[in-house]
Amino acid sequence: MDIPIFNPRDERDKRPYGAVPCGTSISVTLRPPVQEGFAECTLVLCCEFAGTHQEIPLRPAGTEGGRSLFAGSYDAPAQPELAWYCFRFRRGDGQTAWLGRNGLCGEGEAVCWQQTVYDDALPTPDWFGRGVTYQIFPDRFRRTFIPDPAGMLGDRVVHQNWDELMDYLPDCNGEIRNRDFFGGSLAGIEEKLDYLHELGVSTLYLCPIFESDSNHRYNTGDYDQVDPMLGTEEDLRRLCARARERGIHVMLDGVFNHTGNNSRYFNACGAYPSLGAAQSTESPYLDWYTFQEWPVRYDSWWGIHTLPAVNESHPDYIRFIIEGEGSVIRRWLRAGADAWRLDVADELPDDFIARIRQVMMEEKPDSFLLGEVWEDGSNKIAYSQRRKYLLGRETHGLMNYPFRVSALDYLRGGDAQDFREAMETIRENYPRPAFYSCMNMLGTHDNPRVLTMLGTYPKEAPASRTERAHYRMTPEEYYRGSRLLQAGAILLYAFPGSPTVYYGDEAGMEGYEDPFNRGTFPWGREDRMLQRRFALLGRLRRERVSLQMGELRWLHAQGHVLAFARDWGDETTVAAINVGKDAANVIVPWTGQLATDTITGQQFQPVGGYVILCLPPMDGMLLA
């Protein structure tokens, strides 16, 4: 096996591993072949936010197995930073060579490694990453009666039959307004808290609950009012209290980049008695928005005219949302919420996010702030600006879409090595508290149902919207999707971060893109086998500290088979997964006595410190 000159994931070459707190001493050792004739080595470090460039000579440290050794150390910056580094070698004759992630190369060709430097002075609450999250689209989870929409905001229509298809075709103006409701409510969620507790849920993430004229409620009408179809503020307070009795925290969805045009603040439709920005230039909300031609042309989210964008830097808006005594952030934390999820965090200024975290710490020190980011959040560029989501003063954690993408690729037949590489990149780039606070998921309200994605692959989705609306998997597709989802659930629950279940994924719900991924929960028609798997894994996650906080140790990643361990003190849990169509053997180290598969109860006797597992096709084991 070829020994690399430098591997930042090997503690012999770089200590400590990955992201580091400000001021940490970082040691590096390089091992170029002796025949290269390198006499000098310099670490070249560039700090992006500070705009500084530093060159640190490394000392010759002898030879080892035909390799020259160069070693040294440097102190990480004293302030949060995104640093980039590579190495310059010089031979005795003065010629130079550069080393980066792309190997030895010429000057200007090296691809730098990333070094994340974060502020660890502000603690990250550990309850979120340790437990299981359950995401609910409130209109579609559970209703206790059929509501009457009379007098409510917008032209709402309520489906009388809970099980019928949602509206999905454009209206006469070519728009899909999402004005059809099924009447799911906060009381309905409260009614099913025992069900959620049996699933092992410790965080309940609710898509927006504030008054709005759409069923998804991402176009807020009034931040100070619970949507009346969901219930009242008292209903929310009671839900939070009853959830807390079962050890469940409530996370609210904060949509602060834009409002609805039919809102108290913009009021284009005149639905509210207040004077909105679209009604008068004397409106107290006028400067919350940016008009090119008042009142018809204005900044909006992705050009959608019903979602006018807000100026998050306006002092009055900051007071209203964040810093005022009765601000939106403070008000709903006081009502019982324990966390906020920031919708489209890419669209929110870093300072706006940092202010939210500061106020949350003041109001409820153990509260948690999550950001919606779809890429590696440690080096994300949004609108030509490098973001600072994870440097210790902004979000505590992010939605882990890289996990979702890589896990689905693997579950659908990809190489386990690619999944390991993608996750090692995240683990290396993220501060440890942020990595263990990721929201890991296979499905969300913004993606097709995971069961459909697994069962129908590689078949293309039907071309027409109507075909996709009515499509149901064949028995063969459903069987394949269900088996792979059971395997994926092991991966989801065993990996560091909070395993997150989109409501109904555990019950066998299927469907293509929005709105077909937002059907009503099939109470009484659930896939019991899937439910049992998710409930078992939820119980194990609750009971085993190694699954909550344990160090990640890769054991095998090749082809269809993936195996890794989670270690915490004397407790070890091993996940072994096979996504292939045939059974597969894998050998994993085991230092204890009998190894027990917690899924089936099967036991394995270790021989010479190893156990041999015969993994069933499209499934896995969780050894304890």
Side-chain angles (χ1 to χ4, degrees):
M1 181 176 174
D2 187 35
I3 301 174
I5 295 175
F6 176 75
N7 179 4
R9 298 174 184 170
D10 187 332
E11 288 195 344
R12 297 180 309 154
D13 293 359
K14 178 179 178 290
R15 296 183 307 277
Y17 173 93
V20 298
C22 297
T24 299
S25 178
I26 302 173
S27 301
V28 296
T29 300
L30 280 74
R31 295 174 170 80
V34 170
Q35 59 265 31
E36 289 286 354
F38 295 139
E40 300 176 7
C41 181
T42 302
L43 185 155
V44 180
L45 181 74
C46 298
C47 294
E48 182 164 339
F49 300 128
T52 59
H53 174 98
Q54 187 177 5
E55 297 194 359
I56 302 151
L58 304 182
R59 66 183 184 279
T63 60
E64 178 183 88
R67 300 277 181 145
S68 301
L69 302 184
F70 293 90
S73 63
Y74 68 97
D75 291 335
Q79 295 297 320
E81 187 59 80
L82 189 63
W84 305 95
Y85 67 97
C86 60
F87 301 93
R88 184 182 65 234
F89 291 104
R90 192 181 304 277
R91 295 184 173 90
D93 59 6
Q95 292 184 335
T96 60
W98 292 74
L99 178 69
R101 285 164 38 202
N102 53 335
L104 283 172
C105 54
E107 185 172 356
E109 299 175 356
V111 178
C112 290
W113 284 279
Q114 175 180 327
Q115 179 61 62
T116 306
V117 181
Y118 64 98
D119 183 354
D120 65 347
L122 303 179
T124 294
D126 69 359
W127 57 261
F128 178 76
R130 294 180 66 167
V132 176
T133 300
Y134 193 86
Q135 180 189 358
I136 287 180
F137 193 81
D139 184 59
R140 310 289 163 82
F141 182 65
R142 178 71 171 177
R143 75 180 178 191
T144 56
F145 63 91
I146 301 175
D148 180 358
M152 295 185 186
L153 183 67
D155 301 321
R156 307 187 187 200
V157 175
V158 176
H159 293 266
Q160 300 300 298
N161 182 352
W162 179 254
D163 298 321
E164 68 189 28
L165 189 64
M166 73 288 292
D167 293 351
Y168 63 90
L169 293 175
D171 63 16
C172 59
N173 297 316
E175 294 184 285
I176 298 174
R177 304 302 295 271
N178 298 293
R179 297 286 176 86
D180 65 314
F181 291 76
F182 284 84
S185 66
L186 299 177
I189 297 171
E190 182 186 339
E191 186 181 272
K192 291 297 181 180
L193 282 175
D194 286 340
Y195 168 75
L196 298 176
H197 184 260
E198 290 170 4
L199 286 178
V201 173
S202 60
T203 301
L204 181 57
Y205 158 38
L206 303 179
C207 289
I209 63 167
F210 304 119
E211 185 172 52
S212 167
D213 62 8
S214 71
N215 54 46
H216 55 69
R217 301 185 174 94
Y218 280 95
N219 53 334
T220 309
D222 189 340
Y223 290 105
D224 286 323
Q225 298 295 327
V226 172
D227 191 276
M229 194 168 285
L230 290 176
T232 64
E233 180 175 336
E234 182 55 37
D235 290 328
L236 177 64
R237 289 177 177 271
R238 187 174 60 250
L239 172 62
C240 292
R242 299 280 170 81
R244 180 59 70 91
E245 291 171 2
R246 295 163 174 81
I248 299 175
H249 302 263
V250 173
M251 174 184 287
L252 299 181
D253 212 336
V255 187
F256 302 136
N257 163 260
H258 51 268
T259 67
N261 69 329
N262 193 18
S263 68
R264 178 177 297 280
Y265 322 103
F266 200 78
N267 214 14
C269 305
Y272 289 92
S274 56
L275 198 61
Q279 293 176 300
S280 170
T281 55
E282 300 300 316
S283 168
Y285 308 114
L286 180 71
D287 292 337
W288 286 16
Y289 303 93
T290 301
F291 290 90
Q292 289 78 46
E293 180 185 349
W294 183 88
V296 294
R297 292 181 57 239
Y298 44 86
D299 288 354
S300 59
W301 185 72
W302 285 27
I304 301 172
H305 75 95
T306 57
L307 300 175
V310 177
N311 176 10
E312 301 97 338
S313 299
H314 193 277
D316 186 54
Y317 186 69
I318 292 173
R319 281 193 295 272
F320 174 72
I321 295 293
I322 309 172
E323 295 183 340
E325 174 56 30
S327 70
V328 173
I329 295 296
R330 296 184 193 273
R331 170 178 168 77
W332 298 109
L333 289 177
R334 292 168 184 169
D338 295 304
W340 282 98
R341 177 253 190 194
L342 297 180
D343 183 59
V344 294
D346 289 349
E347 318 277 344
L348 301 174
D350 290 336
D351 179 65
F352 187 85
I353 297 174
R355 286 171 183 254
I356 290 177
R357 176 164 171 171
Q358 182 61 41
V359 165
M360 289 177 66
M361 287 183 57
E362 295 170 5
E363 195 65 43
K364 186 175 285 190
D366 201 35
S367 58
F368 186 86
L369 183 61
L370 181 83
E372 180 197 13
V373 176
W374 286 54
E375 300 84 9
D376 180 337
S378 70
N379 53 36
K380 174 72 185 287
I381 295 176
Y383 298 96
S384 303
Q385 180 182 357
R386 186 80 72 177
R387 303 306 303 271
K388 300 180 180 180
Y389 305 115
L390 299 176
L391 297 185
R393 300 171 185 173
E394 297 80 23
T395 61
H396 292 110
L398 300 176
M399 297 182 74
N400 197 354
Y401 274 97
F403 172 89
R404 176 185 175 274
V405 171
S406 302
L408 287 176
D409 285 346
Y410 165 60
L411 292 168
R412 296 192 295 187
D415 196 319
Q417 171 61 29
D418 294 336
F419 174 81
R420 180 176 69 175
E421 174 60 27
M423 291 302 96
E424 273 301 283
T425 298
I426 295 295
R427 184 162 75 120
E428 186 177 15
N429 290 348
Y430 281 26
R432 178 186 170 87
F435 181 70
Y436 279 79
S437 296
C438 280
M439 175 186 272
N440 300 334
M441 65 280 182
L442 297 174
T444 75
H445 67 292
D446 286 324
N447 306 106
R449 285 280 174 176
V450 61
L451 195 61
T452 298
M453 296 194 71
L454 295 175
T456 62
Y457 183 82
K459 184 172 70 176
E460 293 286 338
S464 79
R465 193 170 178 83
T466 296
E467 288 178 298
R468 296 197 299 278
H470 291 275
Y471 188 86
R472 291 297 177 266
M473 287 186 283
T474 66
E476 293 78 15
E477 289 172 338
Y478 189 92
Y479 174 77
R480 180 173 185 268
S482 175
R483 289 296 300 269
L484 288 174
L485 181 52
Q486 291 183 66
I490 297 174
L491 174 59
L492 179 67
Y493 279 72
F495 206 76
S498 178
T500 300
V501 180
Y502 182 44
Y503 81 102
D505 278 350
E506 84 285 5
M509 289 182 67
E510 54 183 289
Y512 284 105
E513 82 285 2
D514 163 27
F516 313 124
N517 58 355
R518 302 175 182 181
T520 54
F521 194 99
W523 297 109
R525 296 178 287 106
E526 303 95 325
D527 183 323
R528 300 297 184 186
M529 183 174 292
L530 278 176
Q531 276 187 325
R532 286 194 293 270
R533 172 62 60 90
F534 277 85
L536 171 61
L537 291 170
R539 177 175 60 79
L540 291 169
R541 180 82 183 204
R542 179 185 289 156
E543 294 174 351
R544 298 189 65 76
V545 180
S546 56
L547 289 179
Q548 300 170 19
M549 305 173 65
E551 292 292 334
L552 174 64
R553 179 165 49 95
W554 300 103
L555 304 178
H556 184 94
Q558 186 175 354
H560 294 314
V561 178
L562 175 71
F564 58 90
R566 299 289 306 280
D567 302 311
W568 182 262
D570 294 333
E571 181 184 291
T572 292
T573 307
V574 170
I577 301 156
N578 170 31
V579 300
K581 296 180 180 179
D582 301 311
N585 291 332
V586 64
I587 301 174
V588 298
W590 192 263
T591 56
Q593 299 298 315
L594 284 177
T596 301
D597 175 24
T598 57
I599 306 295
T600 63
Q602 186 178 4
Q603 293 186 318
F604 303 89
Q605 179 68 53
V607 178
Y610 292 88
V611 292
I612 302 175
L613 307 176
C614 181
L615 300 174
M618 295 186 289
D619 207 344
M621 297 181 181
L622 198 62
L623 302 185

